[in-house]
Amino acid sequence: MKVTRGEEQALRLIAAMARAESQITLTELSIAENMAEPTIAKLMGKLRTAGIVKAVRGRKGGYILNRDPSEIYMSEVMRSLGRPLLEGIDCTPENPRDDECPHNSDCGLRSVMNRLESYMAAVLEKVSIEDMMMPEPVVDLQVKKMTDSNE
């Protein structure tokens, strides 16, 4: 259930692109987010493959969002990097991870972790890039409402 550095950077880059409201170059993104251009280029390649951004070629080339920020969700950006949305306990009674685990048939920890994963995924699938761009207290309130409604 760890958010990787690449996932965080990808989310920051998409938010920076949304704030720019137009085409933006690797150099501009590098300055805005204090990231190395090769790192940005690698992430942009994955985001382009996923259809989140598109590359604009030419002397004044760069990248632009493929959709409105309100239609791009945190979960989609994170999945575009090729990892599952959340990694946690994936052991089930039907598919035990460890044949020697004494709790394969009955595990309270597995139930809690699976619920936690579902809960986190529900939030990430509802928060758009547009939402992320609001002031922190506003985002905090929105996420609180989402999580309170899941209880």
Side-chain angles (χ1 to χ4, degrees):
M1 286 187 258
K2 179 182 178 187
V3 175
T4 67
R5 180 179 206 145
E7 290 165 338
E8 178 187 349
Q9 289 172 326
L11 288 164
R12 286 178 38 209
L13 290 170
I14 295 299
M17 293 176 70
R19 281 190 298 277
E21 297 181 351
S22 63
Q23 181 178 309
I24 189 167
T25 67
L26 287 178
T27 302
E28 291 167 332
L29 283 168
S30 177
I31 293 167
E33 293 302 319
N34 194 27
M35 281 187 228
E37 285 189 36
T39 300
I40 296 170
K42 179 181 175 183
L43 291 169
M44 285 296 160
K46 291 180 179 188
L47 293 166
R48 186 180 52 74
T49 300
I52 297 170
V53 302
K54 58 184 168 184
V56 179
R57 298 195 182 272
R59 195 174 75 141
K60 294 185 179 185
Y63 291 89
I64 191 164
L65 293 179
N66 225 4
R67 297 188 311 274
D68 189 88
S70 66
E71 298 171 358
I72 302 170
Y73 293 87
M74 290 180 70
S75 58
E76 179 184 6
V77 174
M78 293 170 72
R79 282 187 182 112
S80 73
L81 301 183
R83 284 188 32 188
L85 184 57
L86 299 168
E87 294 178 344
I89 293 179
D90 56 0
C91 171
T92 64
E94 299 79 31
N95 185 22
R97 183 186 272 174
D98 180 356
D99 290 333
E100 297 191 20
C101 178
H103 307 288
N104 276 337
S105 63
D106 184 23
C107 180
L109 175 61
R110 179 177 48 232
S111 297
V112 172
M113 297 305 287
N114 287 338
R115 178 74 174 157
L116 181 60
E117 282 186 297
S118 297
Y119 194 67
M120 291 174 64
V123 172
L124 294 172
E125 290 170 356
K126 290 179 185 173
V127 180
S128 72
I129 300 304
E130 181 179 70
D131 295 331
M132 272 181 28
M133 294 169 44
M134 293 182 203
E136 188 173 347
V138 175
V139 176
D140 189 48
L141 184 60
Q142 282 184 309
V143 172
K144 183 176 179 352
K145 286 179 185 176
M146 283 180 216
T147 56
D148 287 350
S149 70
N150 283 341
E151 292 178 350

